[in-house]
Amino acid sequence: MLENKNQKTSLEKLGEFGLINHLTQHFEVKNPSTLTGIGDDAAVLDFKNKKSLVSTDLLIEGVHFDLSYMPLKHLGYKAVVVNLSDICAMNATPTQVTVSIAVSNRFTLEAIEELYAGIKLACERYQVDLIGGDTASSQTGLVISVTAIGEANKSDIAYRSGAKDKQLIILTGDIGSAYMGLQVLEREKQVFLVNPNNQPDLDMYSYIIERQLKPEARTDIKKLLQDLDVKPQSMIDVSDGLSSELIHICTQSGVGCQIYEDKLPLDPEFINVCEEFNLDSTTISINGGEDYELLFTIKMEDFDKIKGNPNLTVIGHTTEQTAGMNLVTRENTQIPLKARGWNHLGNEE
Ligand code: ADP
Ligand code: MG
């Protein structure tokens, strides 16, 4: 049925069970905590003496993704990764995912196979098991819901509420690029709508576009911190923008913060594209989203252990709550942080 590459197979031909079987047949179980995966009424897991962590996300076509520039394989990969990121944000290790989809007959089997190729790539890259899900039909758009499950020792888990006064605020990687990648893709989409023959040259935007279309979860940070003998005191992942995430940590911890404009880790390509779009790179980097880097606090005395690590940047420190939550600019003025981030309910500003 699938020999011809250009052949398009309608989903109706397979039926629900045929489809589930077809999509999941090549997934192998990798983790000892997965006792039973796909195929029964429920998966069976065993984390022994560890705590289990669960996080879920819902992605809706037209709201969270646009298939005109998001290839289905990337979408599958990203849908898994963003959920793994939430497990990483607890300083835990992701081990399993479930994937539920609602598809309309606008999609062919080949299209859904692409989606699952991305899901499989993520499962392999991050060594997590696909252990179940649900499959339903939808009237028009594509809906994907992923649930990620992870494990951690109780004493390792880092909460948003764990920050105390005078801790260092650390960010992994760099920020802002995923947002600017989206701006470039949106612009090219408009150009394409006007002139479909126009072949965009996106080479100079490759990093920021990759950050948008193929984000990675920082599963490496838990081990890095363990090796450095540093325990994160509070932690969150940057999905809605640095400013919003920092406000979550501060509010839930009952502290204030000062972060410094000149410490923000920005990629040179990101800075160039901000200039091209006439946008202020600081504003974009603190309010853009979808970088999936980790933001956390550590005790002041751990500074020497993390100093100079290329993965980690100290961007500021926590303060007493009464001092507020501020960005200190290069000119040394304080600007209060605002929660802007993504607002899927559409009442932004
Ligand atoms: P049920 O009728 O109990 O909901 P299903 O027929 O929907 O069972 O699912 C059969 C098995 O396939 C279950 O293990 C379920 O978790 C898994 N499954 C269903 N849909 C998907 C999917 N889209 N991706 C991965 N696993 C799935
Ligand atoms: Mg079902």
mmCIF file of all heavy atoms in Angstrom, residues 116-159:
data_model
loop_
_atom_site.group_PDB
_atom_site.id
_atom_site.type_symbol
_atom_site.label_atom_id
_atom_site.label_comp_id
_atom_site.label_asym_id
_atom_site.label_seq_id
_atom_site.Cartn_x
_atom_site.Cartn_y
_atom_site.Cartn_z
ATOM 1 N N TYR A 116 4.233 11.350 12.693
ATOM 2 C CA TYR A 116 4.769 10.312 13.584
ATOM 3 C C TYR A 116 6.264 10.078 13.392
ATOM 4 O O TYR A 116 6.939 9.621 14.309
ATOM 5 C CB TYR A 116 3.952 9.006 13.458
ATOM 6 C CG TYR A 116 2.865 8.997 14.500
ATOM 7 C CD1 TYR A 116 1.754 9.816 14.364
ATOM 8 C CD2 TYR A 116 2.973 8.245 15.669
ATOM 9 C CE1 TYR A 116 0.783 9.879 15.338
ATOM 10 C CE2 TYR A 116 2.007 8.299 16.657
ATOM 11 C CZ TYR A 116 0.919 9.114 16.485
ATOM 12 O OH TYR A 116 -0.025 9.184 17.476
ATOM 13 N N ALA A 117 6.768 10.408 12.191
ATOM 14 C CA ALA A 117 8.219 10.316 11.995
ATOM 15 C C ALA A 117 8.911 11.326 12.912
ATOM 16 O O ALA A 117 9.955 11.035 13.508
ATOM 17 C CB ALA A 117 8.576 10.584 10.534
ATOM 18 N N GLY A 118 8.327 12.514 13.046
ATOM 19 C CA GLY A 118 8.875 13.533 13.949
ATOM 20 C C GLY A 118 8.757 13.102 15.399
ATOM 21 O O GLY A 118 9.687 13.290 16.201
ATOM 22 N N ILE A 119 7.613 12.499 15.741
ATOM 23 C CA ILE A 119 7.406 12.011 17.114
ATOM 24 C C ILE A 119 8.437 10.928 17.431
ATOM 25 O O ILE A 119 9.053 10.924 18.504
ATOM 26 C CB ILE A 119 5.960 11.468 17.264
ATOM 27 C CG1 ILE A 119 4.953 12.628 17.183
ATOM 28 C CG2 ILE A 119 5.797 10.679 18.569
ATOM 29 C CD1 ILE A 119 3.502 12.205 17.057
ATOM 30 N N LYS A 120 8.682 10.044 16.459
ATOM 31 C CA LYS A 120 9.634 8.954 16.675
ATOM 32 C C LYS A 120 11.059 9.497 16.838
ATOM 33 O O LYS A 120 11.812 9.052 17.706
ATOM 34 C CB LYS A 120 9.570 7.971 15.495
ATOM 35 C CG LYS A 120 10.479 6.774 15.643
ATOM 36 C CD LYS A 120 9.846 5.550 15.003
ATOM 37 C CE LYS A 120 10.575 4.280 15.401
ATOM 38 N NZ LYS A 120 11.818 4.082 14.659
ATOM 39 N N LEU A 121 11.391 10.476 16.018
ATOM 40 C CA LEU A 121 12.720 11.087 16.101
ATOM 41 C C LEU A 121 12.954 11.669 17.502
ATOM 42 O O LEU A 121 14.015 11.474 18.107
ATOM 43 C CB LEU A 121 12.828 12.193 15.043
ATOM 44 C CG LEU A 121 14.224 12.688 14.695
ATOM 45 C CD1 LEU A 121 15.044 11.551 14.101
ATOM 46 C CD2 LEU A 121 14.132 13.854 13.702
ATOM 47 N N ALA A 122 11.931 12.361 18.018
ATOM 48 C CA ALA A 122 12.057 12.948 19.357
ATOM 49 C C ALA A 122 12.179 11.850 20.416
ATOM 50 O O ALA A 122 12.994 11.942 21.339
ATOM 51 C CB ALA A 122 10.868 13.858 19.654
ATOM 52 N N CYS A 123 11.379 10.789 20.269
ATOM 53 C CA CYS A 123 11.426 9.683 21.247
ATOM 54 C C CYS A 123 12.807 9.038 21.257
ATOM 55 O O CYS A 123 13.310 8.644 22.307
ATOM 56 C CB CYS A 123 10.362 8.644 20.934
ATOM 57 S SG CYS A 123 8.694 9.182 21.328
ATOM 58 N N GLU A 124 13.418 8.936 20.077
ATOM 59 C CA GLU A 124 14.750 8.336 20.000
ATOM 60 C C GLU A 124 15.813 9.279 20.538
ATOM 61 O O GLU A 124 16.633 8.908 21.369
ATOM 62 C CB GLU A 124 15.060 7.921 18.561
ATOM 63 C CG GLU A 124 14.624 6.495 18.333
ATOM 64 C CD GLU A 124 14.347 6.177 16.875
ATOM 65 O OE1 GLU A 124 14.882 6.867 15.990
ATOM 66 O OE2 GLU A 124 13.560 5.236 16.642
ATOM 67 N N ARG A 125 15.761 10.514 20.094
ATOM 68 C CA ARG A 125 16.746 11.505 20.527
ATOM 69 C C ARG A 125 16.749 11.637 22.057
ATOM 70 O O ARG A 125 17.791 11.780 22.670
ATOM 71 C CB ARG A 125 16.406 12.833 19.850
ATOM 72 C CG ARG A 125 16.954 14.088 20.466
ATOM 73 C CD ARG A 125 18.356 14.413 19.966
ATOM 74 N NE ARG A 125 18.818 15.688 20.446
ATOM 75 C CZ ARG A 125 19.217 15.934 21.699
ATOM 76 N NH1 ARG A 125 19.184 14.987 22.597
ATOM 77 N NH2 ARG A 125 19.631 17.138 22.044
ATOM 78 N N TYR A 126 15.578 11.592 22.662
ATOM 79 C CA TYR A 126 15.478 11.816 24.108
ATOM 80 C C TYR A 126 15.247 10.538 24.913
ATOM 81 O O TYR A 126 15.002 10.591 26.110
ATOM 82 C CB TYR A 126 14.384 12.849 24.406
ATOM 83 C CG TYR A 126 14.768 14.227 23.898
ATOM 84 C CD1 TYR A 126 14.260 14.723 22.706
ATOM 85 C CD2 TYR A 126 15.678 15.006 24.593
ATOM 86 C CE1 TYR A 126 14.643 15.964 22.222
ATOM 87 C CE2 TYR A 126 16.068 16.252 24.130
ATOM 88 C CZ TYR A 126 15.549 16.719 22.937
ATOM 89 O OH TYR A 126 15.944 17.951 22.474
ATOM 90 N N GLN A 127 15.294 9.385 24.230
ATOM 91 C CA GLN A 127 15.156 8.101 24.910
ATOM 92 C C GLN A 127 13.896 8.013 25.774
ATOM 93 O O GLN A 127 13.953 7.639 26.952
ATOM 94 C CB GLN A 127 16.410 7.843 25.776
ATOM 95 C CG GLN A 127 17.661 7.564 24.943
ATOM 96 C CD GLN A 127 17.534 6.237 24.173
ATOM 97 O OE1 GLN A 127 17.362 5.184 24.765
ATOM 98 N NE2 GLN A 127 17.591 6.311 22.858
ATOM 99 N N VAL A 128 12.773 8.406 25.179
ATOM 100 C CA VAL A 128 11.505 8.263 25.889
ATOM 101 C C VAL A 128 10.622 7.266 25.130
ATOM 102 O O VAL A 128 10.762 7.086 23.925
ATOM 103 C CB VAL A 128 10.751 9.611 26.071
ATOM 104 C CG1 VAL A 128 11.563 10.579 26.909
ATOM 105 C CG2 VAL A 128 10.383 10.234 24.734
ATOM 106 N N ASP A 129 9.731 6.609 25.852
ATOM 107 C CA ASP A 129 8.849 5.607 25.257
ATOM 108 C C ASP A 129 7.482 6.201 24.939
ATOM 109 O O ASP A 129 6.898 6.882 25.787
ATOM 110 C CB ASP A 129 8.645 4.438 26.239
ATOM 111 C CG ASP A 129 9.956 3.751 26.563
ATOM 112 O OD1 ASP A 129 10.831 3.702 25.679
ATOM 113 O OD2 ASP A 129 10.111 3.288 27.712
ATOM 114 N N LEU A 130 6.987 5.930 23.742
ATOM 115 C CA LEU A 130 5.588 6.248 23.428
ATOM 116 C C LEU A 130 4.752 5.108 24.007
ATOM 117 O O LEU A 130 4.894 3.956 23.588
ATOM 118 C CB LEU A 130 5.394 6.348 21.911
ATOM 119 C CG LEU A 130 3.954 6.602 21.442
ATOM 120 C CD1 LEU A 130 3.475 7.982 21.852
ATOM 121 C CD2 LEU A 130 3.837 6.426 19.926
ATOM 122 N N ILE A 131 3.910 5.407 24.983
ATOM 123 C CA ILE A 131 3.209 4.329 25.695
ATOM 124 C C ILE A 131 1.701 4.344 25.493
ATOM 125 O O ILE A 131 0.981 3.564 26.109
ATOM 126 C CB ILE A 131 3.490 4.377 27.209
ATOM 127 C CG1 ILE A 131 3.134 5.745 27.769
ATOM 128 C CG2 ILE A 131 4.941 4.005 27.494
ATOM 129 C CD1 ILE A 131 2.884 5.749 29.254
ATOM 130 N N GLY A 132 1.200 5.251 24.615
ATOM 131 C CA GLY A 132 -0.237 5.233 24.389
ATOM 132 C C GLY A 132 -0.730 6.554 23.852
ATOM 133 O O GLY A 132 0.067 7.422 23.475
ATOM 134 N N GLY A 133 -2.032 6.677 23.793
ATOM 135 C CA GLY A 133 -2.623 7.893 23.258
ATOM 136 C C GLY A 133 -4.052 7.637 22.869
ATOM 137 O O GLY A 133 -4.659 6.653 23.313
ATOM 138 N N ASP A 134 -4.582 8.513 22.046
ATOM 139 C CA ASP A 134 -5.935 8.309 21.554
ATOM 140 C C ASP A 134 -6.020 8.883 20.146
ATOM 141 O O ASP A 134 -5.244 9.764 19.781
ATOM 142 C CB ASP A 134 -6.951 8.980 22.489
ATOM 143 C CG ASP A 134 -8.336 8.379 22.330
ATOM 144 O OD1 ASP A 134 -8.443 7.252 21.796
ATOM 145 O OD2 ASP A 134 -9.313 9.036 22.740
ATOM 146 N N THR A 135 -6.914 8.347 19.361
ATOM 147 C CA THR A 135 -7.052 8.780 17.975
ATOM 148 C C THR A 135 -8.515 9.060 17.696
ATOM 149 O O THR A 135 -9.367 8.207 17.957
ATOM 150 C CB THR A 135 -6.544 7.674 17.017
ATOM 151 O OG1 THR A 135 -5.227 7.309 17.418
ATOM 152 C CG2 THR A 135 -6.509 8.145 15.586
ATOM 153 N N ALA A 136 -8.784 10.264 17.211
ATOM 154 C CA ALA A 136 -10.168 10.621 16.930
ATOM 155 C C ALA A 136 -10.209 11.417 15.635
ATOM 156 O O ALA A 136 -9.172 11.823 15.115
ATOM 157 C CB ALA A 136 -10.728 11.459 18.087
ATOM 158 N N SER A 137 -11.412 11.640 15.134
ATOM 159 C CA SER A 137 -11.517 12.452 13.919
ATOM 160 C C SER A 137 -11.934 13.866 14.302
ATOM 161 O O SER A 137 -12.539 14.089 15.347
ATOM 162 C CB SER A 137 -12.515 11.834 12.956
ATOM 163 O OG SER A 137 -13.759 11.708 13.588
ATOM 164 N N SER A 138 -11.552 14.810 13.454
ATOM 165 C CA SER A 138 -11.946 16.195 13.693
ATOM 166 C C SER A 138 -12.616 16.714 12.427
ATOM 167 O O SER A 138 -12.438 16.162 11.345
ATOM 168 C CB SER A 138 -10.724 17.028 14.082
ATOM 169 O OG SER A 138 -10.274 17.785 12.994
ATOM 170 N N GLN A 139 -13.390 17.784 12.577
ATOM 171 C CA GLN A 139 -14.118 18.336 11.419
ATOM 172 C C GLN A 139 -13.174 18.974 10.416
ATOM 173 O O GLN A 139 -13.312 18.791 9.228
ATOM 174 C CB GLN A 139 -15.124 19.382 11.912
ATOM 175 C CG GLN A 139 -16.245 18.816 12.760
ATOM 176 C CD GLN A 139 -17.197 17.931 11.957
ATOM 177 O OE1 GLN A 139 -17.293 18.069 10.739
ATOM 178 N NE2 GLN A 139 -17.871 17.017 12.623
ATOM 179 N N THR A 140 -12.210 19.727 10.908
ATOM 180 C CA THR A 140 -11.325 20.429 9.973
ATOM 181 C C THR A 140 -9.861 20.320 10.381
ATOM 182 O O THR A 140 -9.080 19.645 9.726
ATOM 183 C CB THR A 140 -11.700 21.924 9.870
ATOM 184 O OG1 THR A 140 -11.802 22.455 11.192
ATOM 185 C CG2 THR A 140 -12.962 22.125 9.097
ATOM 186 N N GLY A 141 -9.494 20.983 11.453
ATOM 187 C CA GLY A 141 -8.085 21.133 11.800
ATOM 188 C C GLY A 141 -7.490 19.921 12.489
ATOM 189 O O GLY A 141 -8.161 18.943 12.799
ATOM 190 N N LEU A 142 -6.170 20.027 12.703
ATOM 191 C CA LEU A 142 -5.421 18.979 13.388
ATOM 192 C C LEU A 142 -5.247 19.388 14.855
ATOM 193 O O LEU A 142 -4.938 20.538 15.142
ATOM 194 C CB LEU A 142 -4.054 18.839 12.710
ATOM 195 C CG LEU A 142 -3.030 17.890 13.315
ATOM 196 C CD1 LEU A 142 -3.498 16.449 13.240
ATOM 197 C CD2 LEU A 142 -1.691 18.028 12.568
ATOM 198 N N VAL A 143 -5.469 18.453 15.751
ATOM 199 C CA VAL A 143 -5.261 18.692 17.175
ATOM 200 C C VAL A 143 -4.298 17.621 17.688
ATOM 201 O O VAL A 143 -4.445 16.452 17.358
ATOM 202 C CB VAL A 143 -6.594 18.621 17.972
ATOM 203 C CG1 VAL A 143 -6.361 18.820 19.462
ATOM 204 C CG2 VAL A 143 -7.595 19.650 17.459
ATOM 205 N N ILE A 144 -3.304 18.053 18.452
ATOM 206 C CA ILE A 144 -2.359 17.090 19.041
ATOM 207 C C ILE A 144 -2.255 17.381 20.524
ATOM 208 O O ILE A 144 -2.047 18.522 20.927
ATOM 209 C CB ILE A 144 -0.931 17.237 18.473
ATOM 210 C CG1 ILE A 144 -0.953 17.220 16.954
ATOM 211 C CG2 ILE A 144 -0.024 16.137 18.989
ATOM 212 C CD1 ILE A 144 0.388 17.602 16.374
ATOM 213 N N SER A 145 -2.370 16.353 21.321
ATOM 214 C CA SER A 145 -2.127 16.515 22.746
ATOM 215 C C SER A 145 -1.054 15.516 23.165
ATOM 216 O O SER A 145 -1.141 14.334 22.846
ATOM 217 C CB SER A 145 -3.407 16.272 23.544
ATOM 218 O OG SER A 145 -3.112 16.363 24.913
ATOM 219 N N VAL A 146 -0.032 16.008 23.818
ATOM 220 C CA VAL A 146 1.037 15.137 24.290
ATOM 221 C C VAL A 146 1.088 15.214 25.812
ATOM 222 O O VAL A 146 0.989 16.300 26.392
ATOM 223 C CB VAL A 146 2.409 15.537 23.696
ATOM 224 C CG1 VAL A 146 3.518 14.670 24.259
ATOM 225 C CG2 VAL A 146 2.382 15.434 22.177
ATOM 226 N N THR A 147 1.227 14.075 26.443
ATOM 227 C CA THR A 147 1.463 14.039 27.879
ATOM 228 C C THR A 147 2.850 13.448 28.085
ATOM 229 O O THR A 147 3.173 12.399 27.515
ATOM 230 C CB THR A 147 0.411 13.167 28.591
ATOM 231 O OG1 THR A 147 -0.872 13.768 28.390
ATOM 232 C CG2 THR A 147 0.688 13.062 30.085
ATOM 233 N N ALA A 148 3.668 14.146 28.852
ATOM 234 C CA ALA A 148 5.002 13.625 29.159
ATOM 235 C C ALA A 148 5.043 13.166 30.606
ATOM 236 O O ALA A 148 4.430 13.773 31.485
ATOM 237 C CB ALA A 148 6.060 14.693 28.925
ATOM 238 N N ILE A 149 5.739 12.075 30.829
ATOM 239 C CA ILE A 149 5.904 11.505 32.163
ATOM 240 C C ILE A 149 7.396 11.415 32.436
ATOM 241 O O ILE A 149 8.186 11.138 31.513
ATOM 242 C CB ILE A 149 5.248 10.110 32.223
ATOM 243 C CG1 ILE A 149 3.730 10.253 31.979
ATOM 244 C CG2 ILE A 149 5.513 9.414 33.570
ATOM 245 C CD1 ILE A 149 3.048 8.985 31.588
ATOM 246 N N GLY A 150 7.789 11.695 33.670
ATOM 247 C CA GLY A 150 9.210 11.644 33.995
ATOM 248 C C GLY A 150 9.431 11.148 35.398
ATOM 249 O O GLY A 150 8.474 10.851 36.126
ATOM 250 N N GLU A 151 10.708 11.037 35.761
ATOM 251 C CA GLU A 151 11.050 10.538 37.093
ATOM 252 C C GLU A 151 12.146 11.393 37.715
ATOM 253 O O GLU A 151 12.939 12.017 37.005
ATOM 254 C CB GLU A 151 11.533 9.080 37.000
ATOM 255 C CG GLU A 151 12.726 8.922 36.073
ATOM 256 C CD GLU A 151 13.294 7.496 36.051
ATOM 257 O OE1 GLU A 151 12.522 6.535 36.083
ATOM 258 O OE2 GLU A 151 14.531 7.387 36.002
ATOM 259 N N ALA A 152 12.154 11.412 39.040
ATOM 260 C CA ALA A 152 13.209 12.128 39.764
ATOM 261 C C ALA A 152 13.222 11.668 41.210
ATOM 262 O O ALA A 152 12.197 11.208 41.734
ATOM 263 C CB ALA A 152 12.961 13.636 39.717
ATOM 264 N N ASN A 153 14.387 11.774 41.841
ATOM 265 C CA ASN A 153 14.422 11.602 43.289
ATOM 266 C C ASN A 153 13.697 12.790 43.914
ATOM 267 O O ASN A 153 13.822 13.913 43.427
ATOM 268 C CB ASN A 153 15.866 11.587 43.800
ATOM 269 C CG ASN A 153 16.611 10.358 43.309
ATOM 270 O OD1 ASN A 153 16.046 9.265 43.259
ATOM 271 N ND2 ASN A 153 17.856 10.552 42.933
ATOM 272 N N LYS A 154 12.979 12.528 44.988
ATOM 273 C CA LYS A 154 12.195 13.591 45.619
ATOM 274 C C LYS A 154 13.068 14.814 45.910
ATOM 275 O O LYS A 154 12.667 15.961 45.681
ATOM 276 C CB LYS A 154 11.587 13.044 46.917
ATOM 277 C CG LYS A 154 10.668 14.011 47.613
ATOM 278 C CD LYS A 154 9.884 13.340 48.744
ATOM 279 C CE LYS A 154 8.896 14.314 49.343
ATOM 280 N NZ LYS A 154 9.202 14.701 50.711
ATOM 281 N N SER A 155 14.289 14.572 46.386
ATOM 282 C CA SER A 155 15.154 15.678 46.813
ATOM 283 C C SER A 155 15.725 16.482 45.639
ATOM 284 O O SER A 155 16.249 17.567 45.825
ATOM 285 C CB SER A 155 16.306 15.125 47.647
ATOM 286 O OG SER A 155 17.031 14.185 46.868
ATOM 287 N N ASP A 156 15.617 15.953 44.421
ATOM 288 C CA ASP A 156 16.155 16.667 43.251
ATOM 289 C C ASP A 156 15.133 17.605 42.611
ATOM 290 O O ASP A 156 15.504 18.491 41.846
ATOM 291 C CB ASP A 156 16.611 15.666 42.172
ATOM 292 C CG ASP A 156 17.899 14.961 42.550
ATOM 293 O OD1 ASP A 156 18.679 15.545 43.332
ATOM 294 O OD2 ASP A 156 18.114 13.829 42.076
ATOM 295 N N ILE A 157 13.850 17.385 42.878
ATOM 296 C CA ILE A 157 12.815 18.134 42.168
ATOM 297 C C ILE A 157 12.894 19.623 42.513
ATOM 298 O O ILE A 157 13.010 19.992 43.673
ATOM 299 C CB ILE A 157 11.412 17.573 42.491
ATOM 300 C CG1 ILE A 157 11.337 16.113 42.027
ATOM 301 C CG2 ILE A 157 10.318 18.400 41.827
ATOM 302 C CD1 ILE A 157 10.060 15.388 42.458
ATOM 303 N N ALA A 158 12.865 20.469 41.477
ATOM 304 C CA ALA A 158 12.929 21.922 41.667
ATOM 305 C C ALA A 158 11.582 22.539 41.302
ATOM 306 O O ALA A 158 11.055 22.294 40.217
ATOM 307 C CB ALA A 158 14.033 22.518 40.804
ATOM 308 N N TYR A 159 11.031 23.321 42.228
ATOM 309 C CA TYR A 159 9.729 23.945 42.031
ATOM 310 C C TYR A 159 9.881 25.428 41.690
ATOM 311 O O TYR A 159 10.912 26.039 41.985
ATOM 312 C CB TYR A 159 8.888 23.797 43.305
ATOM 313 C CG TYR A 159 8.590 22.355 43.651
ATOM 314 C CD1 TYR A 159 9.457 21.619 44.456
ATOM 315 C CD2 TYR A 159 7.461 21.728 43.147
ATOM 316 C CE1 TYR A 159 9.195 20.294 44.765
ATOM 317 C CE2 TYR A 159 7.186 20.402 43.445
ATOM 318 C CZ TYR A 159 8.054 19.693 44.251
ATOM 319 O OH TYR A 159 7.800 18.380 44.547
#
